[in-house]
Amino acid sequence: MNNQQEDFNQEITRKRKSTTTVTTNNSSKRINNNNNNNNQNINLDHYDQEDNDLLALSLSVRPASRPRRAIPDGETSPSPLPLQLSQPCSMQTRLVSQSPPQLPLQISPSHSHSLYIPPFMPDPSVVPVYRQEIPSPAPAAAAPPSRPLRPRRNPTQAPGQGKGDTVPALYPWATTHRATVHNLNYLLSKQITTITGEMQCKKCEKQYEMGYDLRDKFYEVGRFIAENKSSMHDRAPSVWMNPVLPTCKFCDQENSAKPVIPDKKKQINWLFLLLGQLLGCCTLDQLKYFCKHTKNHRTGAKDRVLYLTYLGLCKQLDPNGPFGR
């Protein structure tokens, strides 16, 4: 009897648990269904709201209707034009789209007018006028007294006032131009083979005439220049600056016979000094005189001017020789 009662109780307990589980599952399903229904309702409300906004926008863009004019019996009403909706545009876009009125461009020559009006302006009265400012000359201030300006010394200038380009030919080998000698072919054709000049001993002070062979001495000078020109650097070597003087034929004093150089530069025996390699005995002023009248640059130290004098005389004798600068 007791066993039947216990089985009955266990069966009731099992049924109660089963009923509770089913009830819980049904509740969960109802909650999920309610949530889904709520989401669908929200989405439908959102779509309805967007449709209402679009409808209101389309109604606002449509132009307001104006009252129609009464048409007389004899007239026919014009056919309605299709409605064109224009997109709203800003005020700046309208201003840019409107092109300014095109006025003819008139440019006046700059040499005849000093005013300039920018083109494409409708009213010149309200446009600034650009004037080419011409500075007015300032009043001349009283300058302090200064010494008179000296004329610029040109290395290739002509002879001074009262002096001509030609001079008497004092030697058979000299031309009538200042500081110029005949070329070698001319002298040999005239049988001029010896060049003479005056010498004076520094010891005994006696003067005598001395001569150099034209062909041999010129060949000696020309060969020296050809061999040493690249190492001279446009400067006369020491053997030209301080030449070794000949021995006096009266007192046999070595390095004592000096060439006699006249005070007047136009009387200098240039060819004799060249062949004896005695141009270094000339002063700087005398060498500048030669460069001046032979179109050579005559400024600088003595070694440079002496170098130009040697090359200038050699070029006069042999224009085709290696005596260019």
Side-chain angles (χ1 to χ4, degrees):
M1 186 68 179
N2 291 332
N3 292 334
Q4 292 179 355
Q5 187 64 31
E6 289 177 358
D7 295 335
F8 180 76
N9 291 335
Q10 291 178 359
E11 182 68 22
I12 292 174
T13 301
R14 186 170 56 253
K15 289 183 178 179
R16 286 179 179 177
K17 289 182 181 181
S18 174
T19 303
T20 302
T21 303
V22 171
T23 303
T24 303
N25 293 334
N26 293 333
S27 300
S28 299
K29 288 181 180 180
R30 271 198 307 271
I31 291 172
N32 291 334
N33 291 332
N34 292 332
N35 291 335
N36 292 333
N37 293 332
N38 291 334
N39 290 335
Q40 291 177 358
N41 293 332
I42 291 173
N43 292 334
L44 292 175
D45 294 338
H46 177 69
Y47 293 147
D48 293 339
Q49 183 65 29
E50 289 183 352
D51 292 340
N52 294 333
D53 292 341
L54 292 175
L55 179 60
L57 178 61
S58 62
L59 293 176
S60 64
V61 173
R62 184 172 302 170
S65 61
R66 290 183 292 183
R68 295 185 179 180
R69 182 175 60 87
I71 302 174
D73 297 336
E75 297 182 2
T76 59
S77 61
S79 59
L81 296 176
L83 179 61
Q84 296 180 357
L85 297 178
S86 61
Q87 296 181 356
C89 59
S90 63
M91 183 62 69
Q92 182 178 2
T93 306
R94 295 177 185 175
L95 294 177
V96 171
S97 61
Q98 295 178 358
S99 61
Q102 300 292 332
L103 296 181
L105 176 60
Q106 296 180 358
I107 301 177
S108 58
S110 59
H111 63 273
S112 60
H113 299 280
S114 60
L115 299 180
Y116 169 72
I117 299 176
F120 306 108
M121 294 297 180
D123 190 3
S125 62
V126 297
V127 177
V129 178
Y130 301 93
R131 183 185 300 273
Q132 296 178 357
E133 297 292 339
I134 301 176
S136 58
S146 59
R147 61 183 182 179
L149 298 177
R150 296 183 301 175
R152 183 177 178 273
R153 300 180 64 184
N154 190 353
T156 60
Q157 65 183 1
Q161 186 176 4
K163 297 181 180 180
D165 292 333
T166 61
V167 293
L170 301 179
Y171 310 101
W173 46 87
T175 67
T176 57
H177 294 278
R178 298 174 184 269
T180 308
V181 298
H182 290 288
N183 60 60
L184 184 61
N185 293 332
Y186 174 84
L187 296 177
L188 294 178
S189 65
K190 297 295 181 179
Q191 303 298 320
I192 301 175
T193 57
T194 302
I195 308 300
T196 59
E198 292 293 324
M199 302 289 290
Q200 183 179 14
C201 180
K202 295 189 296 182
K203 182 179 180 181
C204 64
E205 297 183 353
K206 291 184 178 180
Q207 291 189 8
Y208 61 94
E209 186 178 80
M210 186 175 181
Y212 294 110
D213 185 86
L214 174 61
R215 191 190 299 270
D216 294 342
K217 284 296 183 180
F218 177 65
Y219 175 75
E220 181 181 342
V221 176
R223 184 179 61 182
F224 179 83
I225 293 176
E227 293 176 354
N228 301 280
K229 183 180 178 181
S230 60
S231 61
M232 290 183 185
H233 305 292
D234 296 341
R235 297 291 187 270
S238 58
V239 293
W240 286 353
M241 290 289 295
N242 301 299
V244 178
L245 302 178
T247 301
C248 177
K249 71 175 184 178
F250 292 104
C251 63
D252 294 333
Q253 181 64 39
E254 297 181 355
N255 196 22
S256 62
K258 286 185 61 176
V260 177
I261 301 176
D263 294 334
K264 292 186 177 182
K265 300 181 184 67
K266 65 180 180 180
Q267 298 178 355
I268 296 177
N269 192 355
W270 295 104
L271 184 55
F272 175 77
L273 297 177
L274 171 69
L275 298 180
Q277 301 187 42
L278 300 173
L279 288 170
C281 298
C282 296
T283 63
L284 179 60
D285 190 50
Q286 292 168 341
L287 297 174
K288 287 183 177 180
Y289 171 87
F290 176 87
C291 292
K292 171 185 175 180
H293 293 287
T294 55
K295 314 301 181 184
N296 283 310
H297 190 72
R298 69 177 190 273
T299 58
K302 183 178 179 179
D303 58 350
R304 176 170 176 79
V305 181
L306 180 60
Y307 173 83
L308 296 176
T309 304
Y310 267 95
L311 263 64
L313 283 170
C314 290
K315 195 169 185 65
Q316 291 180 15
L317 285 175
D318 185 9
N320 300 322
F323 308 116
R325 295 179 56 184

mmCIF file with all atom_site columns, all heavy atoms in Angstrom, residues 200-203 245-248 251-258:
data_model
loop_
_atom_site.group_PDB
_atom_site.id
_atom_site.type_symbol
_atom_site.label_atom_id
_atom_site.label_alt_id
_atom_site.label_comp_id
_atom_site.label_asym_id
_atom_site.label_entity_id
_atom_site.label_seq_id
_atom_site.pdbx_PDB_ins_code
_atom_site.Cartn_x
_atom_site.Cartn_y
_atom_site.Cartn_z
_atom_site.occupancy
_atom_site.B_iso_or_equiv
_atom_site.pdbx_formal_charge
_atom_site.auth_seq_id
_atom_site.auth_comp_id
_atom_site.auth_asym_id
_atom_site.auth_atom_id
_atom_site.pdbx_PDB_model_num
ATOM 1   N N   . GLN A 1 200 ? 128.788 103.557 -75.431 1.00 0.00 ? 200 GLN A N   1
ATOM 2   C CA  . GLN A 1 200 ? 129.660 104.372 -74.582 1.00 0.00 ? 200 GLN A CA  1
ATOM 3   C C   . GLN A 1 200 ? 130.078 103.532 -73.389 1.00 0.00 ? 200 GLN A C   1
ATOM 4   O O   . GLN A 1 200 ? 129.253 102.893 -72.738 1.00 0.00 ? 200 GLN A O   1
ATOM 5   C CB  . GLN A 1 200 ? 128.944 105.632 -74.114 1.00 0.00 ? 200 GLN A CB  1
ATOM 6   C CG  . GLN A 1 200 ? 129.847 106.553 -73.286 1.00 0.00 ? 200 GLN A CG  1
ATOM 7   C CD  . GLN A 1 200 ? 129.125 107.813 -72.845 1.00 0.00 ? 200 GLN A CD  1
ATOM 8   O OE1 . GLN A 1 200 ? 127.890 107.911 -72.926 1.00 0.00 ? 200 GLN A OE1 1
ATOM 9   N NE2 . GLN A 1 200 ? 129.887 108.797 -72.394 1.00 0.00 ? 200 GLN A NE2 1
ATOM 10  N N   . CYS A 1 201 ? 131.379 103.563 -73.095 1.00 0.00 ? 201 CYS A N   1
ATOM 11  C CA  . CYS A 1 201 ? 131.920 102.801 -71.975 1.00 0.00 ? 201 CYS A CA  1
ATOM 12  C C   . CYS A 1 201 ? 131.634 103.534 -70.664 1.00 0.00 ? 201 CYS A C   1
ATOM 13  O O   . CYS A 1 201 ? 131.826 104.740 -70.565 1.00 0.00 ? 201 CYS A O   1
ATOM 14  C CB  . CYS A 1 201 ? 133.420 102.585 -72.159 1.00 0.00 ? 201 CYS A CB  1
ATOM 15  S SG  . CYS A 1 201 ? 134.199 101.636 -70.829 1.00 0.00 ? 201 CYS A SG  1
ATOM 16  N N   . LYS A 1 202 ? 131.209 102.813 -69.685 1.00 0.00 ? 202 LYS A N   1
ATOM 17  C CA  . LYS A 1 202 ? 130.931 103.432 -68.392 1.00 0.00 ? 202 LYS A CA  1
ATOM 18  C C   . LYS A 1 202 ? 132.219 103.754 -67.641 1.00 0.00 ? 202 LYS A C   1
ATOM 19  O O   . LYS A 1 202 ? 132.236 104.628 -66.790 1.00 0.00 ? 202 LYS A O   1
ATOM 20  C CB  . LYS A 1 202 ? 130.067 102.492 -67.538 1.00 0.00 ? 202 LYS A CB  1
ATOM 21  C CG  . LYS A 1 202 ? 128.677 102.252 -68.092 1.00 0.00 ? 202 LYS A CG  1
ATOM 22  C CD  . LYS A 1 202 ? 127.793 101.505 -67.093 1.00 0.00 ? 202 LYS A CD  1
ATOM 23  C CE  . LYS A 1 202 ? 128.340 100.107 -66.818 1.00 0.00 ? 202 LYS A CE  1
ATOM 24  N NZ  . LYS A 1 202 ? 127.446 99.343  -65.884 1.00 0.00 ? 202 LYS A NZ  1
ATOM 25  N N   . LYS A 1 203 ? 133.340 103.076 -68.008 1.00 0.00 ? 203 LYS A N   1
ATOM 26  C CA  . LYS A 1 203 ? 134.592 103.298 -67.301 1.00 0.00 ? 203 LYS A CA  1
ATOM 27  C C   . LYS A 1 203 ? 135.403 104.417 -67.932 1.00 0.00 ? 203 LYS A C   1
ATOM 28  O O   . LYS A 1 203 ? 135.739 105.397 -67.282 1.00 0.00 ? 203 LYS A O   1
ATOM 29  C CB  . LYS A 1 203 ? 135.411 102.010 -67.274 1.00 0.00 ? 203 LYS A CB  1
ATOM 30  C CG  . LYS A 1 203 ? 136.731 102.126 -66.517 1.00 0.00 ? 203 LYS A CG  1
ATOM 31  C CD  . LYS A 1 203 ? 137.488 100.793 -66.507 1.00 0.00 ? 203 LYS A CD  1
ATOM 32  C CE  . LYS A 1 203 ? 138.801 100.933 -65.755 1.00 0.00 ? 203 LYS A CE  1
ATOM 33  N NZ  . LYS A 1 203 ? 139.563 99.666  -65.742 1.00 0.00 ? 203 LYS A NZ  1
ATOM 34  N N   . LEU A 1 245 ? 126.340 93.627  -70.565 1.00 0.00 ? 245 LEU A N   1
ATOM 35  C CA  . LEU A 1 245 ? 126.824 94.632  -71.511 1.00 0.00 ? 245 LEU A CA  1
ATOM 36  C C   . LEU A 1 245 ? 128.081 94.136  -72.217 1.00 0.00 ? 245 LEU A C   1
ATOM 37  O O   . LEU A 1 245 ? 128.852 93.320  -71.682 1.00 0.00 ? 245 LEU A O   1
ATOM 38  C CB  . LEU A 1 245 ? 127.121 95.939  -70.774 1.00 0.00 ? 245 LEU A CB  1
ATOM 39  C CG  . LEU A 1 245 ? 125.927 96.562  -70.013 1.00 0.00 ? 245 LEU A CG  1
ATOM 40  C CD1 . LEU A 1 245 ? 126.380 97.827  -69.283 1.00 0.00 ? 245 LEU A CD1 1
ATOM 41  C CD2 . LEU A 1 245 ? 124.787 96.875  -70.973 1.00 0.00 ? 245 LEU A CD2 1
ATOM 42  N N   . PRO A 1 246 ? 128.311 94.608  -73.436 1.00 0.00 ? 246 PRO A N   1
ATOM 43  C CA  . PRO A 1 246 ? 129.531 94.200  -74.161 1.00 0.00 ? 246 PRO A CA  1
ATOM 44  C C   . PRO A 1 246 ? 130.804 94.755  -73.504 1.00 0.00 ? 246 PRO A C   1
ATOM 45  O O   . PRO A 1 246 ? 130.759 95.668  -72.686 1.00 0.00 ? 246 PRO A O   1
ATOM 46  C CB  . PRO A 1 246 ? 129.329 94.792  -75.553 1.00 0.00 ? 246 PRO A CB  1
ATOM 47  C CG  . PRO A 1 246 ? 127.876 95.106  -75.660 1.00 0.00 ? 246 PRO A CG  1
ATOM 48  C CD  . PRO A 1 246 ? 127.432 95.427  -74.285 1.00 0.00 ? 246 PRO A CD  1
ATOM 49  N N   . THR A 1 247 ? 131.916 94.180  -73.908 1.00 0.00 ? 247 THR A N   1
ATOM 50  C CA  . THR A 1 247 ? 133.221 94.647  -73.423 1.00 0.00 ? 247 THR A CA  1
ATOM 51  C C   . THR A 1 247 ? 133.670 95.865  -74.223 1.00 0.00 ? 247 THR A C   1
ATOM 52  O O   . THR A 1 247 ? 133.515 95.895  -75.453 1.00 0.00 ? 247 THR A O   1
ATOM 53  C CB  . THR A 1 247 ? 134.264 93.528  -73.551 1.00 0.00 ? 247 THR A CB  1
ATOM 54  O OG1 . THR A 1 247 ? 133.814 92.398  -72.788 1.00 0.00 ? 247 THR A OG1 1
ATOM 55  C CG2 . THR A 1 247 ? 135.628 93.969  -73.041 1.00 0.00 ? 247 THR A CG2 1
ATOM 56  N N   . CYS A 1 248 ? 134.214 96.834  -73.525 1.00 0.00 ? 248 CYS A N   1
ATOM 57  C CA  . CYS A 1 248 ? 134.660 98.045  -74.197 1.00 0.00 ? 248 CYS A CA  1
ATOM 58  C C   . CYS A 1 248 ? 135.872 97.720  -75.074 1.00 0.00 ? 248 CYS A C   1
ATOM 59  O O   . CYS A 1 248 ? 136.808 97.047  -74.648 1.00 0.00 ? 248 CYS A O   1
ATOM 60  C CB  . CYS A 1 248 ? 135.017 99.116  -73.168 1.00 0.00 ? 248 CYS A CB  1
ATOM 61  S SG  . CYS A 1 248 ? 135.663 100.651 -73.898 1.00 0.00 ? 248 CYS A SG  1
ATOM 62  N N   . CYS A 1 251 ? 139.145 100.007 -73.491 1.00 0.00 ? 251 CYS A N   1
ATOM 63  C CA  . CYS A 1 251 ? 139.769 99.663  -72.212 1.00 0.00 ? 251 CYS A CA  1
ATOM 64  C C   . CYS A 1 251 ? 139.580 98.195  -71.857 1.00 0.00 ? 251 CYS A C   1
ATOM 65  O O   . CYS A 1 251 ? 140.034 97.765  -70.790 1.00 0.00 ? 251 CYS A O   1
ATOM 66  C CB  . CYS A 1 251 ? 139.227 100.550 -71.093 1.00 0.00 ? 251 CYS A CB  1
ATOM 67  S SG  . CYS A 1 251 ? 137.449 100.356 -70.782 1.00 0.00 ? 251 CYS A SG  1
ATOM 68  N N   . ASP A 1 252 ? 138.926 97.467  -72.721 1.00 0.00 ? 252 ASP A N   1
ATOM 69  C CA  . ASP A 1 252 ? 138.681 96.045  -72.499 1.00 0.00 ? 252 ASP A CA  1
ATOM 70  C C   . ASP A 1 252 ? 137.970 95.750  -71.170 1.00 0.00 ? 252 ASP A C   1
ATOM 71  O O   . ASP A 1 252 ? 138.133 94.675  -70.578 1.00 0.00 ? 252 ASP A O   1
ATOM 72  C CB  . ASP A 1 252 ? 139.993 95.257  -72.559 1.00 0.00 ? 252 ASP A CB  1
ATOM 73  C CG  . ASP A 1 252 ? 140.623 95.267  -73.931 1.00 0.00 ? 252 ASP A CG  1
ATOM 74  O OD1 . ASP A 1 252 ? 139.855 95.402  -74.918 1.00 0.00 ? 252 ASP A OD1 1
ATOM 75  O OD2 . ASP A 1 252 ? 141.863 95.160  -74.038 1.00 0.00 ? 252 ASP A OD2 1
ATOM 76  N N   . GLN A 1 253 ? 137.211 96.697  -70.742 1.00 0.00 ? 253 GLN A N   1
ATOM 77  C CA  . GLN A 1 253 ? 136.444 96.492  -69.513 1.00 0.00 ? 253 GLN A CA  1
ATOM 78  C C   . GLN A 1 253 ? 135.165 95.713  -69.841 1.00 0.00 ? 253 GLN A C   1
ATOM 79  O O   . GLN A 1 253 ? 134.395 96.086  -70.705 1.00 0.00 ? 253 GLN A O   1
ATOM 80  C CB  . GLN A 1 253 ? 136.076 97.830  -68.871 1.00 0.00 ? 253 GLN A CB  1
ATOM 81  C CG  . GLN A 1 253 ? 135.300 97.737  -67.587 1.00 0.00 ? 253 GLN A CG  1
ATOM 82  C CD  . GLN A 1 253 ? 136.082 97.083  -66.456 1.00 0.00 ? 253 GLN A CD  1
ATOM 83  O OE1 . GLN A 1 253 ? 137.307 97.321  -66.322 1.00 0.00 ? 253 GLN A OE1 1
ATOM 84  N NE2 . GLN A 1 253 ? 135.432 96.236  -65.673 1.00 0.00 ? 253 GLN A NE2 1
ATOM 85  N N   . GLU A 1 254 ? 135.009 94.596  -69.159 1.00 0.00 ? 254 GLU A N   1
ATOM 86  C CA  . GLU A 1 254 ? 133.837 93.773  -69.418 1.00 0.00 ? 254 GLU A CA  1
ATOM 87  C C   . GLU A 1 254 ? 132.596 94.391  -68.777 1.00 0.00 ? 254 GLU A C   1
ATOM 88  O O   . GLU A 1 254 ? 132.658 95.044  -67.734 1.00 0.00 ? 254 GLU A O   1
ATOM 89  C CB  . GLU A 1 254 ? 134.056 92.356  -68.852 1.00 0.00 ? 254 GLU A CB  1
ATOM 90  C CG  . GLU A 1 254 ? 135.205 91.599  -69.504 1.00 0.00 ? 254 GLU A CG  1
ATOM 91  C CD  . GLU A 1 254 ? 135.372 90.204  -68.924 1.00 0.00 ? 254 GLU A CD  1
ATOM 92  O OE1 . GLU A 1 254 ? 134.639 89.900  -67.942 1.00 0.00 ? 254 GLU A OE1 1
ATOM 93  O OE2 . GLU A 1 254 ? 136.204 89.433  -69.429 1.00 0.00 ? 254 GLU A OE2 1
ATOM 94  N N   . ASN A 1 255 ? 131.468 94.121  -69.472 1.00 0.00 ? 255 ASN A N   1
ATOM 95  C CA  . ASN A 1 255 ? 130.165 94.567  -68.974 1.00 0.00 ? 255 ASN A CA  1
ATOM 96  C C   . ASN A 1 255 ? 130.170 96.067  -68.651 1.00 0.00 ? 255 ASN A C   1
ATOM 97  O O   . ASN A 1 255 ? 129.712 96.493  -67.585 1.00 0.00 ? 255 ASN A O   1
ATOM 98  C CB  . ASN A 1 255 ? 129.769 93.767  -67.724 1.00 0.00 ? 255 ASN A CB  1
ATOM 99  C CG  . ASN A 1 255 ? 128.284 93.905  -67.386 1.00 0.00 ? 255 ASN A CG  1
ATOM 100 O OD1 . ASN A 1 255 ? 127.474 94.239  -68.232 1.00 0.00 ? 255 ASN A OD1 1
ATOM 101 N ND2 . ASN A 1 255 ? 127.958 93.653  -66.123 1.00 0.00 ? 255 ASN A ND2 1
ATOM 102 N N   . SER A 1 256 ? 130.685 96.844  -69.603 1.00 0.00 ? 256 SER A N   1
ATOM 103 C CA  . SER A 1 256 ? 130.794 98.282  -69.338 1.00 0.00 ? 256 SER A CA  1
ATOM 104 C C   . SER A 1 256 ? 130.272 99.140  -70.486 1.00 0.00 ? 256 SER A C   1
ATOM 105 O O   . SER A 1 256 ? 130.028 100.332 -70.285 1.00 0.00 ? 256 SER A O   1
ATOM 106 C CB  . SER A 1 256 ? 132.255 98.678  -69.052 1.00 0.00 ? 256 SER A CB  1
ATOM 107 O OG  . SER A 1 256 ? 133.082 98.414  -70.180 1.00 0.00 ? 256 SER A OG  1
ATOM 108 N N   . ALA A 1 257 ? 130.102 98.600  -71.701 1.00 0.00 ? 257 ALA A N   1
ATOM 109 C CA  . ALA A 1 257 ? 129.658 99.405  -72.833 1.00 0.00 ? 257 ALA A CA  1
ATOM 110 C C   . ALA A 1 257 ? 128.139 99.450  -72.865 1.00 0.00 ? 257 ALA A C   1
ATOM 111 O O   . ALA A 1 257 ? 127.466 98.422  -73.054 1.00 0.00 ? 257 ALA A O   1
ATOM 112 C CB  . ALA A 1 257 ? 130.219 98.836  -74.139 1.00 0.00 ? 257 ALA A CB  1
ATOM 113 N N   . LYS A 1 258 ? 127.613 100.663 -72.695 1.00 0.00 ? 258 LYS A N   1
ATOM 114 C CA  . LYS A 1 258 ? 126.168 100.861 -72.699 1.00 0.00 ? 258 LYS A CA  1
ATOM 115 C C   . LYS A 1 258 ? 125.721 101.478 -74.002 1.00 0.00 ? 258 LYS A C   1
ATOM 116 O O   . LYS A 1 258 ? 126.463 102.276 -74.592 1.00 0.00 ? 258 LYS A O   1
ATOM 117 C CB  . LYS A 1 258 ? 125.752 101.790 -71.550 1.00 0.00 ? 258 LYS A CB  1
ATOM 118 C CG  . LYS A 1 258 ? 125.803 101.158 -70.181 1.00 0.00 ? 258 LYS A CG  1
ATOM 119 C CD  . LYS A 1 258 ? 125.261 102.127 -69.135 1.00 0.00 ? 258 LYS A CD  1
ATOM 120 C CE  . LYS A 1 258 ? 123.821 102.484 -69.425 1.00 0.00 ? 258 LYS A CE  1
ATOM 121 N NZ  . LYS A 1 258 ? 123.244 103.353 -68.369 1.00 0.00 ? 258 LYS A NZ  1
#
